[in-house]
Tab-separated table of all heavy atoms in Angstrom:
chain	number	residue	atom	x	y	z
A	8	MET	N	0.843	-1.189	0.013
A	8	MET	CA	-0.045	-0.091	-0.028
A	8	MET	C	0.932	1.220	0.007
A	8	MET	O	1.946	1.365	0.637
A	8	MET	CB	-0.859	0.043	1.237
A	8	MET	CG	-2.097	0.792	1.121
A	8	MET	SD	-3.110	0.744	2.602
A	8	MET	CE	-3.638	2.412	2.703
A	9	THR	N	0.460	2.251	-0.749
A	9	THR	CA	1.262	3.443	-0.783
A	9	THR	C	0.953	4.373	0.349
A	9	THR	O	-0.088	4.575	0.665
A	9	THR	CB	0.868	4.226	-2.112
A	9	THR	OG1	1.217	3.424	-3.170
A	9	THR	CG2	1.730	5.518	-2.232
A	10	LYS	N	2.104	4.842	0.986
A	10	LYS	CA	1.982	5.751	2.125
A	10	LYS	C	2.591	7.035	1.643
A	10	LYS	O	3.554	7.075	0.929
A	10	LYS	CB	2.739	5.156	3.257
A	10	LYS	CG	2.585	5.933	4.487
A	10	LYS	CD	3.250	5.183	5.719
A	10	LYS	CE	3.030	5.959	7.030
A	10	LYS	NZ	3.097	5.163	8.150
A	11	GLN	N	2.025	8.168	2.122
A	11	GLN	CA	2.499	9.523	1.832
A	11	GLN	C	3.009	10.203	3.032
A	11	GLN	O	2.274	10.278	3.958
A	11	GLN	CB	1.456	10.313	1.083
A	11	GLN	CG	1.910	11.617	0.533
A	11	GLN	CD	1.669	11.725	-1.007
A	11	GLN	OE1	1.044	10.851	-1.530
A	11	GLN	NE2	2.388	12.555	-1.569
A	12	ILE	N	4.211	10.652	3.046
A	12	ILE	CA	4.666	11.362	4.155
A	12	ILE	C	5.400	12.688	3.752
A	12	ILE	O	5.714	12.849	2.584
A	12	ILE	CB	5.717	10.556	4.995
A	12	ILE	CG1	6.936	10.094	4.086
A	12	ILE	CG2	5.091	9.426	5.699
A	12	ILE	CD1	8.145	9.564	4.848
A	13	GLN	N	5.591	13.588	4.677
A	13	GLN	CA	6.321	14.825	4.437
A	13	GLN	C	7.410	14.947	5.430
A	13	GLN	O	7.154	14.792	6.630
A	13	GLN	CB	5.375	15.958	4.541
A	13	GLN	CG	6.021	17.255	4.117
A	13	GLN	CD	5.104	18.451	4.237
A	13	GLN	OE1	4.494	18.737	5.227
A	13	GLN	NE2	4.952	19.309	3.181
A	14	LEU	N	8.610	15.109	5.014
A	14	LEU	CA	9.788	15.260	5.796
A	14	LEU	C	10.263	16.692	5.788
A	14	LEU	O	10.294	17.302	4.707
A	14	LEU	CB	10.900	14.428	5.329
A	14	LEU	CG	10.795	12.839	5.268
A	14	LEU	CD1	11.946	12.163	4.525
A	14	LEU	CD2	10.667	12.272	6.630
A	15	GLN	N	10.735	17.108	6.938
A	15	GLN	CA	11.387	18.465	6.932
A	15	GLN	C	12.859	18.204	6.769
A	15	GLN	O	13.473	17.423	7.456
A	15	GLN	CB	11.152	19.201	8.337
A	15	GLN	CG	9.736	19.552	8.618
A	15	GLN	CD	9.162	20.511	7.610
A	15	GLN	OE1	9.823	21.460	7.226
A	15	GLN	NE2	7.949	20.223	7.160
A	16	VAL	N	13.406	18.754	5.754
A	16	VAL	CA	14.800	18.545	5.347
A	16	VAL	C	15.551	19.852	5.416
A	16	VAL	O	15.182	20.807	4.646
A	16	VAL	CB	14.972	17.813	4.003
A	16	VAL	CG1	16.424	17.608	3.682
A	16	VAL	CG2	14.267	16.537	4.026
A	17	SER	N	16.575	19.966	6.204
A	17	SER	CA	17.357	21.170	6.203
A	17	SER	C	18.644	21.041	5.503
A	17	SER	O	19.252	19.973	5.354
A	17	SER	CB	17.534	21.681	7.668
A	17	SER	OG	18.097	20.678	8.445
A	18	GLY	N	19.137	22.139	4.905
A	18	GLY	CA	20.395	22.145	4.197
A	18	GLY	C	20.225	22.220	2.712
A	18	GLY	O	21.200	22.390	2.009
A	19	MET	N	19.035	22.181	2.225
A	19	MET	CA	18.844	22.209	0.785
A	19	MET	C	18.766	23.760	0.363
A	19	MET	O	18.017	24.555	0.891
A	19	MET	CB	17.389	21.600	0.398
A	19	MET	CG	17.364	20.166	0.777
A	19	MET	SD	15.810	19.397	0.087
A	19	MET	CE	14.485	20.397	0.995
A	20	SER	N	19.625	24.039	-0.643
A	20	SER	CA	19.682	25.488	-1.023
A	20	SER	C	19.601	25.737	-2.478
A	20	SER	O	19.376	26.881	-2.823
A	20	SER	CB	20.955	26.055	-0.373
A	20	SER	OG	22.059	25.312	-0.878
A	21	CYS	N	19.717	24.751	-3.288
A	21	CYS	CA	19.532	25.084	-4.704
A	21	CYS	C	19.057	23.897	-5.494
A	21	CYS	O	18.748	22.848	-4.926
A	21	CYS	CB	20.944	25.433	-5.215
A	21	CYS	SG	22.158	24.004	-5.187
A	22	GLN	N	18.944	24.064	-6.805
A	22	GLN	CA	18.373	22.878	-7.598
A	22	GLN	C	19.183	21.630	-7.575
A	22	GLN	O	18.661	20.540	-7.799
A	22	GLN	CB	18.252	23.453	-9.076
A	22	GLN	CG	17.111	24.457	-9.239
A	22	GLN	CD	15.722	23.894	-8.767
A	22	GLN	OE1	15.380	22.676	-8.948
A	22	GLN	NE2	14.972	24.701	-8.057
A	23	SER	N	20.571	21.826	-7.340
A	23	SER	CA	21.389	20.719	-7.240
A	23	SER	C	21.061	19.841	-5.938
A	23	SER	O	21.117	18.600	-5.948
A	23	SER	CB	22.846	21.104	-7.312
A	23	SER	OG	23.579	20.234	-6.606
A	24	CYS	N	20.724	20.500	-4.871
A	24	CYS	CA	20.200	19.844	-3.684
A	24	CYS	C	18.940	19.040	-3.959
A	24	CYS	O	18.749	18.018	-3.560
A	24	CYS	CB	19.972	20.874	-2.473
A	24	CYS	SG	21.389	21.816	-2.064
A	25	VAL	N	17.970	19.805	-4.683
A	25	VAL	CA	16.731	19.164	-5.024
A	25	VAL	C	16.993	17.880	-5.829
A	25	VAL	O	16.415	16.787	-5.491
A	25	VAL	CB	15.835	20.086	-5.832
A	25	VAL	CG1	14.626	19.419	-6.386
A	25	VAL	CG2	15.471	21.392	-5.040
A	26	LYS	N	17.939	17.944	-6.705
A	26	LYS	CA	18.255	16.745	-7.500
A	26	LYS	C	18.778	15.637	-6.723
A	26	LYS	O	18.386	14.481	-6.812
A	26	LYS	CB	19.244	17.221	-8.629
A	26	LYS	CG	19.367	16.175	-9.696
A	26	LYS	CD	19.940	16.918	-10.974
A	26	LYS	CE	20.260	15.951	-12.064
A	26	LYS	NZ	21.624	15.271	-12.045
A	27	SER	N	19.811	15.946	-5.815
A	27	SER	CA	20.440	14.829	-5.033
A	27	SER	C	19.467	14.287	-4.068
A	27	SER	O	19.491	13.035	-3.790
A	27	SER	CB	21.693	15.241	-4.459
A	27	SER	OG	21.612	16.441	-3.738
A	28	VAL	N	18.574	15.071	-3.402
A	28	VAL	CA	17.637	14.566	-2.437
A	28	VAL	C	16.575	13.657	-3.242
A	28	VAL	O	16.325	12.570	-2.844
A	28	VAL	CB	16.902	15.628	-1.730
A	28	VAL	CG1	15.620	15.152	-0.992
A	28	VAL	CG2	17.883	16.343	-0.716
A	29	THR	N	16.192	14.126	-4.411
A	29	THR	CA	15.208	13.363	-5.181
A	29	THR	C	15.805	12.098	-5.669
A	29	THR	O	15.231	11.044	-5.452
A	29	THR	CB	14.727	14.164	-6.437
A	29	THR	OG1	14.156	15.473	-5.962
A	29	THR	CG2	13.711	13.450	-7.196
A	30	GLU	N	17.021	12.178	-6.170
A	30	GLU	CA	17.631	10.913	-6.699
A	30	GLU	C	17.905	9.973	-5.619
A	30	GLU	O	17.851	8.750	-5.822
A	30	GLU	CB	18.845	11.240	-7.470
A	30	GLU	CG	18.537	11.835	-8.870
A	30	GLU	CD	19.656	12.331	-9.759
A	30	GLU	OE1	20.806	12.232	-9.226
A	30	GLU	OE2	19.446	12.734	-10.817
A	31	SER	N	18.381	10.395	-4.478
A	31	SER	CA	18.721	9.460	-3.415
A	31	SER	C	17.538	8.713	-2.879
A	31	SER	O	17.557	7.566	-2.573
A	31	SER	CB	19.463	10.242	-2.209
A	31	SER	OG	18.596	11.148	-1.542
A	32	ALA	N	16.432	9.438	-2.804
A	32	ALA	CA	15.160	8.796	-2.388
A	32	ALA	C	14.613	7.884	-3.491
A	32	ALA	O	14.290	6.704	-3.210
A	32	ALA	CB	14.133	9.753	-1.958
A	33	MET	N	14.631	8.373	-4.657
A	33	MET	CA	14.074	7.500	-5.775
A	33	MET	C	14.847	6.246	-5.976
A	33	MET	O	14.361	5.309	-6.649
A	33	MET	CB	13.998	8.355	-7.114
A	33	MET	CG	12.978	9.490	-7.123
A	33	MET	SD	11.248	8.858	-6.961
A	33	MET	CE	11.017	8.041	-8.590
A	34	ALA	N	16.125	6.178	-5.632
A	34	ALA	CA	17.059	5.115	-5.818
A	34	ALA	C	16.553	3.983	-4.938
A	34	ALA	O	16.913	2.734	-5.220
A	34	ALA	CB	18.442	5.386	-5.491
A	35	LEU	N	15.821	4.215	-3.847
A	35	LEU	CA	15.245	3.064	-3.020
A	35	LEU	C	14.132	2.386	-3.655
A	35	LEU	O	13.240	2.930	-4.237
A	35	LEU	CB	14.881	3.686	-1.696
A	35	LEU	CG	15.948	4.366	-0.771
A	35	LEU	CD1	15.219	5.085	0.379
A	35	LEU	CD2	16.900	3.367	-0.289
A	36	ASP	N	14.250	1.017	-3.502
A	36	ASP	CA	13.152	0.260	-4.033
A	36	ASP	C	11.863	0.562	-3.238
A	36	ASP	O	11.896	0.510	-2.091
A	36	ASP	CB	13.532	-1.196	-3.924
A	36	ASP	CG	12.617	-2.052	-4.627
A	36	ASP	OD1	12.068	-1.721	-5.712
A	36	ASP	OD2	12.348	-3.292	-4.073
A	37	GLY	N	10.795	0.914	-3.989
A	37	GLY	CA	9.580	1.148	-3.263
A	37	GLY	C	9.151	2.576	-3.148
A	37	GLY	O	8.072	2.886	-2.963
A	38	VAL	N	10.085	3.486	-3.453
A	38	VAL	CA	9.800	4.856	-3.441
A	38	VAL	C	9.196	5.209	-4.819
A	38	VAL	O	9.858	4.962	-5.831
A	38	VAL	CB	11.039	5.768	-3.212
A	38	VAL	CG1	10.683	7.227	-3.337
A	38	VAL	CG2	11.579	5.535	-1.725
A	39	GLU	N	7.990	5.686	-4.748
A	39	GLU	CA	7.260	5.993	-6.035
A	39	GLU	C	7.242	7.418	-6.528
A	39	GLU	O	7.178	7.720	-7.684
A	39	GLU	CB	5.719	5.490	-5.756
A	39	GLU	CG	5.662	4.070	-5.644
A	39	GLU	CD	4.426	3.578	-4.910
A	39	GLU	OE1	3.527	4.444	-4.593
A	39	GLU	OE2	4.207	2.336	-4.722
A	40	ASN	N	7.326	8.365	-5.612
A	40	ASN	CA	7.281	9.835	-6.002
A	40	ASN	C	7.977	10.642	-4.991
A	40	ASN	O	7.836	10.348	-3.749
A	40	ASN	CB	5.931	10.268	-6.230
A	40	ASN	CG	5.860	11.703	-6.860
A	40	ASN	OD1	6.510	11.738	-8.020
A	40	ASN	ND2	5.209	12.594	-6.210
A	41	VAL	N	8.682	11.589	-5.438
A	41	VAL	CA	9.391	12.604	-4.517
A	41	VAL	C	9.166	13.966	-5.017
A	41	VAL	O	9.359	14.286	-6.192
A	41	VAL	CB	10.952	12.311	-4.483
A	41	VAL	CG1	11.727	13.315	-3.536
A	41	VAL	CG2	11.294	10.860	-4.016
A	42	ASP	N	8.697	14.792	-4.089
A	42	ASP	CA	8.371	16.158	-4.485
A	42	ASP	C	8.997	17.119	-3.460
A	42	ASP	O	8.657	17.193	-2.252
A	42	ASP	CB	6.915	16.330	-4.507
A	42	ASP	CG	6.494	17.700	-5.081
A	42	ASP	OD1	7.363	18.346	-5.729
A	42	ASP	OD2	5.328	18.133	-4.866
A	43	VAL	N	10.105	17.807	-3.914
A	43	VAL	CA	10.828	18.668	-2.980
A	43	VAL	C	10.360	20.106	-3.140
A	43	VAL	O	10.189	20.627	-4.089
A	43	VAL	CB	12.343	18.653	-3.396
A	43	VAL	CG1	13.128	19.627	-2.410
A	43	VAL	CG2	12.935	17.185	-3.245
A	44	SER	N	10.125	20.644	-1.849
A	44	SER	CA	9.858	22.108	-1.831
A	44	SER	C	11.006	22.763	-1.240
A	44	SER	O	11.297	22.649	-0.086
A	44	SER	CB	8.642	22.357	-0.930
A	44	SER	OG	8.530	23.707	-0.636
A	45	LEU	N	11.770	23.401	-2.061
A	45	LEU	CA	12.975	24.130	-1.712
A	45	LEU	C	12.616	25.246	-0.757
A	45	LEU	O	13.315	25.432	0.392
A	45	LEU	CB	13.732	24.701	-2.924
A	45	LEU	CG	15.136	25.090	-2.885
A	45	LEU	CD1	16.001	23.905	-2.192
A	45	LEU	CD2	15.709	25.489	-4.231
A	46	GLU	N	11.616	26.013	-1.004
A	46	GLU	CA	11.281	27.140	-0.128
A	46	GLU	C	10.756	26.655	1.200
A	46	GLU	O	11.105	27.300	2.273
A	46	GLU	CB	10.087	27.904	-0.732
A	46	GLU	CG	10.669	28.912	-1.878
A	46	GLU	CD	9.391	29.608	-2.550
A	46	GLU	OE1	8.377	29.806	-1.811
A	46	GLU	OE2	9.476	29.901	-3.715
A	47	GLY	N	9.977	25.608	1.207
A	47	GLY	CA	9.462	25.164	2.459
A	47	GLY	C	10.441	24.260	3.264
A	47	GLY	O	10.168	23.882	4.449
A	48	GLY	N	11.470	23.861	2.566
A	48	GLY	CA	12.444	22.922	3.232
A	48	GLY	C	11.809	21.603	3.604
A	48	GLY	O	12.067	21.011	4.570
A	49	SER	N	10.857	21.158	2.662
A	49	SER	CA	10.264	19.889	2.975
A	49	SER	C	10.170	18.987	1.716
A	49	SER	O	10.400	19.560	0.573
A	49	SER	CB	8.798	20.122	3.456
A	49	SER	OG	8.127	20.781	2.342
A	50	VAL	N	10.075	17.782	1.983
A	50	VAL	CA	10.042	16.827	0.915
A	50	VAL	C	8.805	15.843	1.071
A	50	VAL	O	8.633	15.212	2.140
A	50	VAL	CB	11.307	15.907	0.862
A	50	VAL	CG1	11.280	14.934	-0.255
A	50	VAL	CG2	12.532	16.818	0.849
A	51	GLU	N	7.993	15.781	0.030
A	51	GLU	CA	6.872	14.880	0.053
A	51	GLU	C	7.221	13.555	-0.575
A	51	GLU	O	7.793	13.594	-1.681
A	51	GLU	CB	5.655	15.436	-0.582
A	51	GLU	CG	4.780	16.259	0.253
A	51	GLU	CD	3.556	16.780	-0.319
A	51	GLU	OE1	2.814	15.979	-0.935
A	51	GLU	OE2	3.321	17.938	-0.351
A	52	ILE	N	7.026	12.450	0.084
A	52	ILE	CA	7.418	11.228	-0.503
A	52	ILE	C	6.248	10.221	-0.470
A	52	ILE	O	5.573	10.072	0.541
A	52	ILE	CB	8.640	10.593	0.252
A	52	ILE	CG1	9.794	11.602	0.123
A	52	ILE	CG2	8.985	9.267	-0.275
A	52	ILE	CD1	10.957	11.237	0.871
A	53	ALA	N	6.100	9.587	-1.621
A	53	ALA	CA	5.058	8.483	-1.661
A	53	ALA	C	5.817	7.167	-1.867
A	53	ALA	O	6.730	7.126	-2.663
A	53	ALA	CB	4.135	8.637	-2.850
A	54	PHE	N	5.606	6.259	-0.981
A	54	PHE	CA	6.346	4.955	-1.063
A	54	PHE	C	5.486	3.724	-0.705
A	54	PHE	O	4.374	3.923	-0.027
A	54	PHE	CB	7.595	5.016	-0.142
A	54	PHE	CG	7.245	5.075	1.373
A	54	PHE	CD1	7.304	3.941	2.155
A	54	PHE	CD2	6.953	6.381	1.942
A	54	PHE	CE1	7.041	4.050	3.517
A	54	PHE	CE2	6.635	6.473	3.266
A	54	PHE	CZ	6.696	5.294	4.055
A	55	ASP	N	5.906	2.629	-1.167
A	55	ASP	CA	5.252	1.413	-0.800
A	55	ASP	C	5.631	0.871	0.455
A	55	ASP	O	6.877	0.436	0.613
A	55	ASP	CB	5.554	0.411	-2.011
A	55	ASP	CG	4.793	-0.941	-1.829
A	55	ASP	OD1	4.377	-1.220	-0.736
A	55	ASP	OD2	4.576	-1.597	-2.842
A	56	GLU	N	4.827	0.790	1.432
A	56	GLU	CA	5.193	0.368	2.747
A	56	GLU	C	5.730	-1.025	2.938
A	56	GLU	O	6.396	-1.380	3.842
A	56	GLU	CB	3.954	0.481	3.715
A	56	GLU	CG	3.623	1.858	4.111
A	56	GLU	CD	2.476	1.735	5.180
A	56	GLU	OE1	1.339	1.525	4.669
A	56	GLU	OE2	2.713	1.983	6.375
A	57	SER	N	5.350	-1.893	1.876
A	57	SER	CA	5.919	-3.242	1.967
A	57	SER	C	7.294	-3.337	1.476
A	57	SER	O	7.953	-4.438	1.591
A	57	SER	CB	4.960	-4.173	1.233
A	57	SER	OG	5.015	-3.851	-0.246
A	58	LYS	N	7.804	-2.339	0.854
A	58	LYS	CA	9.093	-2.358	0.223
A	58	LYS	C	10.180	-1.555	0.996
A	58	LYS	O	11.449	-1.827	1.003
A	58	LYS	CB	9.177	-1.939	-1.196
A	58	LYS	CG	8.388	-2.943	-2.132
A	58	LYS	CD	8.472	-2.536	-3.528
A	58	LYS	CE	7.704	-3.575	-4.394
A	58	LYS	NZ	7.558	-2.996	-5.745
A	59	THR	N	9.812	-0.419	1.572
A	59	THR	CA	10.715	0.351	2.364
A	59	THR	C	10.036	1.084	3.477
A	59	THR	O	8.763	0.889	3.638
A	59	THR	CB	11.463	1.451	1.407
A	59	THR	OG1	12.528	1.945	2.024
A	59	THR	CG2	10.468	2.488	0.814
A	60	ASP	N	10.755	1.810	4.227
A	60	ASP	CA	10.125	2.491	5.337
A	60	ASP	C	10.775	3.994	5.463
A	60	ASP	O	11.787	4.264	4.835
A	60	ASP	CB	10.243	1.725	6.626
A	60	ASP	CG	11.703	1.332	6.966
A	60	ASP	OD1	12.589	2.236	6.715
A	60	ASP	OD2	11.997	0.305	7.498
A	61	MET	N	10.182	4.646	6.390
A	61	MET	CA	10.624	6.056	6.537
A	61	MET	C	12.068	6.221	7.039
A	61	MET	O	12.706	7.093	6.579
A	61	MET	CB	9.684	6.670	7.662
A	61	MET	CG	9.193	8.030	7.285
A	61	MET	SD	8.684	8.720	8.772
A	61	MET	CE	10.139	8.751	9.759
A	62	GLY	N	12.515	5.292	7.871
A	62	GLY	CA	13.847	5.321	8.339
A	62	GLY	C	14.882	5.190	7.260
A	62	GLY	O	15.829	5.852	7.225
A	63	SER	N	14.584	4.211	6.330
A	63	SER	CA	15.514	4.127	5.238
A	63	SER	C	15.571	5.203	4.298
A	63	SER	O	16.617	5.663	3.726
A	63	SER	CB	15.021	2.836	4.355
A	63	SER	OG	14.913	1.714	5.193
A	64	ILE	N	14.432	5.937	4.101
A	64	ILE	CA	14.365	7.142	3.304
A	64	ILE	C	15.094	8.272	3.912
A	64	ILE	O	15.950	8.899	3.286
A	64	ILE	CB	12.910	7.447	2.993
A	64	ILE	CG1	12.122	6.397	2.200
A	64	ILE	CG2	12.822	8.835	2.232
A	64	ILE	CD1	10.599	6.495	2.107
A	65	ALA	N	14.891	8.411	5.159
A	65	ALA	CA	15.533	9.484	5.903
A	65	ALA	C	17.130	9.269	5.910
A	65	ALA	O	17.849	10.180	5.612
A	65	ALA	CB	15.075	9.549	7.336
A	66	GLU	N	17.431	7.971	5.991
A	66	GLU	CA	18.931	7.737	5.982
A	66	GLU	C	19.592	7.980	4.639
A	66	GLU	O	20.667	8.517	4.527
A	66	GLU	CB	19.086	6.238	6.269
A	66	GLU	CG	20.301	5.741	6.943
A	66	GLU	CD	20.338	4.244	7.308
A	66	GLU	OE1	19.583	3.990	8.327
A	66	GLU	OE2	20.949	3.471	6.615
A	67	ALA	N	18.763	7.661	3.623
A	67	ALA	CA	19.315	7.903	2.252
A	67	ALA	C	19.497	9.472	1.938
A	67	ALA	O	20.457	9.855	1.352
A	67	ALA	CB	18.323	7.326	1.069
A	68	ILE	N	18.645	10.254	2.493
A	68	ILE	CA	18.824	11.677	2.286
A	68	ILE	C	19.828	12.186	3.217
A	68	ILE	O	20.665	13.002	2.699
A	68	ILE	CB	17.400	12.319	2.737
A	68	ILE	CG1	16.318	11.938	1.688
A	68	ILE	CG2	17.503	13.889	2.723
A	68	ILE	CD1	14.930	12.399	2.045
A	69	GLU	N	19.968	11.640	4.466
A	69	GLU	CA	21.079	12.194	5.370
A	69	GLU	C	22.432	11.768	4.762
A	69	GLU	O	23.362	12.520	5.002
A	69	GLU	CB	20.862	11.568	6.721
A	69	GLU	CG	19.717	12.343	7.469
A	69	GLU	CD	19.385	11.768	8.867
A	69	GLU	OE1	19.656	10.625	9.079
A	69	GLU	OE2	18.786	12.495	9.536
A	70	GLU	N	22.502	10.653	4.019
A	70	GLU	CA	23.761	10.307	3.456
A	70	GLU	C	24.341	11.343	2.473
A	70	GLU	O	25.445	11.351	2.134
A	70	GLU	CB	23.702	8.958	2.845
A	70	GLU	CG	23.900	7.807	3.794
A	70	GLU	CD	23.611	6.359	3.193
A	70	GLU	OE1	23.380	6.290	1.952
A	70	GLU	OE2	23.544	5.449	3.928
A	71	GLN	N	23.323	12.105	1.900
A	71	GLN	CA	23.641	13.118	0.880
A	71	GLN	C	24.195	14.448	1.604
A	71	GLN	O	24.577	15.303	1.039
A	71	GLN	CB	22.516	13.417	0.028
A	71	GLN	CG	21.989	12.254	-0.827
A	71	GLN	CD	23.029	11.579	-1.675
A	71	GLN	OE1	23.739	12.351	-2.399
A	71	GLN	NE2	23.261	10.301	-1.523
A	72	GLY	N	24.090	14.400	3.022
A	72	GLY	CA	24.531	15.517	3.680
A	72	GLY	C	23.486	16.553	4.171
A	72	GLY	O	23.786	17.595	4.707
A	73	TYR	N	22.263	16.011	4.172
A	73	TYR	CA	21.149	16.942	4.651
A	73	TYR	C	20.656	16.379	5.898
A	73	TYR	O	20.837	15.308	6.265
A	73	TYR	CB	19.999	17.044	3.630
A	73	TYR	CG	20.548	17.427	2.235
A	73	TYR	CD1	20.854	16.431	1.301
A	73	TYR	CD2	20.866	18.708	1.999
A	73	TYR	CE1	21.386	16.879	0.052
A	73	TYR	CE2	21.409	19.193	0.851
A	73	TYR	CZ	21.633	18.171	-0.139
A	73	TYR	OH	22.186	18.626	-1.427
A	74	GLU	N	19.979	17.200	6.664
A	74	GLU	CA	19.476	16.762	7.966
A	74	GLU	C	17.952	16.679	7.826
A	74	GLU	O	17.219	17.580	7.468
A	74	GLU	CB	19.839	17.911	9.038
A	74	GLU	CG	19.739	17.276	10.365
A	74	GLU	CD	20.258	18.228	11.471
A	74	GLU	OE1	21.388	18.948	11.180
A	74	GLU	OE2	19.692	18.512	12.514
A	75	VAL	N	17.512	15.520	8.270
A	75	VAL	CA	16.050	15.186	8.219
A	75	VAL	C	15.531	15.341	9.613
A	75	VAL	O	15.932	14.818	10.593
A	75	VAL	CB	15.774	13.806	7.776
A	75	VAL	CG1	14.287	13.515	7.740
A	75	VAL	CG2	16.325	13.593	6.378
A	76	GLY	N	14.581	16.299	9.717
A	76	GLY	CA	13.889	16.590	11.039
A	76	GLY	C	12.546	15.920	11.148
A	76	GLY	O	12.374	14.722	10.882
A	77	MET	N	11.586	16.712	11.451
A	77	MET	CA	10.280	16.245	11.658
A	77	MET	C	9.544	15.669	10.458
A	77	MET	O	9.989	16.048	9.363
A	77	MET	CB	9.323	17.343	12.301
A	77	MET	CG	9.661	17.623	13.704
A	77	MET	SD	8.846	19.134	14.285
A	77	MET	CE	7.292	18.976	13.521
A	78	PHE	N	8.586	14.893	10.630
A	78	PHE	CA	7.766	14.369	9.543
A	78	PHE	C	6.338	14.399	9.960
A	78	PHE	O	6.021	14.376	11.108
A	78	PHE	CB	8.241	12.948	9.129
A	78	PHE	CG	7.772	11.906	10.065
A	78	PHE	CD1	6.601	11.288	9.773
A	78	PHE	CD2	8.387	11.577	11.204
A	78	PHE	CE1	6.099	10.198	10.586
A	78	PHE	CE2	7.894	10.680	12.041
A	78	PHE	CZ	6.760	9.951	11.706
A	79	GLN	N	5.529	14.313	8.925
A	79	GLN	CA	4.118	14.222	9.234
A	79	GLN	C	3.549	13.342	8.120
A	79	GLN	O	4.053	13.252	7.012
A	79	GLN	CB	3.383	15.531	9.350
A	79	GLN	CG	3.593	16.410	8.182
A	79	GLN	CD	3.178	17.800	8.465
A	79	GLN	OE1	3.702	18.428	9.404
A	79	GLN	NE2	2.267	18.435	7.974
A	80	GLU	N	2.443	12.647	8.486
A	80	GLU	CA	1.806	11.796	7.506
A	80	GLU	C	0.713	12.502	6.789
A	80	GLU	O	0.247	13.519	7.238
A	80	GLU	CB	1.167	10.496	8.265
A	80	GLU	CG	2.350	9.600	8.717
A	80	GLU	CD	1.801	8.380	9.404
A	80	GLU	OE1	0.612	7.962	9.087
A	80	GLU	OE2	2.546	7.770	10.147
B	13	LIG	CU1	22.379	22.908	-3.460
């Protein structure tokens, strides 16, 4: 089943950040859509709960050098 979450991600400042955050999340099996709001410092992610989870997604984004804070469903 597809789950939609919104993560607060700090450290994103330009289109290149948007690209690396998007690509790192999309690289995970089960992530279906990633929508980055640069102004809001947030990332909306749709993923298949049976294939991945929020922790893995947050980790993938953090590996790119960004900080993942709060999230909401
Ligand atoms: Cu950047």
Side-chain angles (χ1 to χ4, degrees):
M8 203 180 142
T9 298
K10 185 172 182 158
Q11 188 115 15
I12 56 166
Q13 188 181 50
L14 300 171
Q15 294 300 315
V16 178
S17 52
M19 300 186 297
S20 57
C21 67
Q22 287 305 317
S23 151
C24 297
V25 172
K26 193 163 178 272
S27 50
V28 167
T29 303
E30 283 175 358
S31 65
M33 287 299 288
L35 296 169
D36 189 32
V38 174
E39 294 161 359
N40 190 56
V41 179
D42 188 15
V43 178
S44 165
L45 198 52
E46 280 176 33
S49 63
V50 182
E51 269 183 54
I52 298 175
F54 65 100
D55 184 336
E56 281 185 288
S57 66
K58 291 185 180 165
T59 189
D60 55 36
M61 225 195 63
S63 307
I64 296 168
E66 207 172 287
I68 293 173
E69 284 176 339
E70 273 171 14
Q71 302 301 309
Y73 306 99
E74 203 172 312
V75 179
M77 286 172 38
F78 78 95
Q79 57 196 58
E80 290 181 21

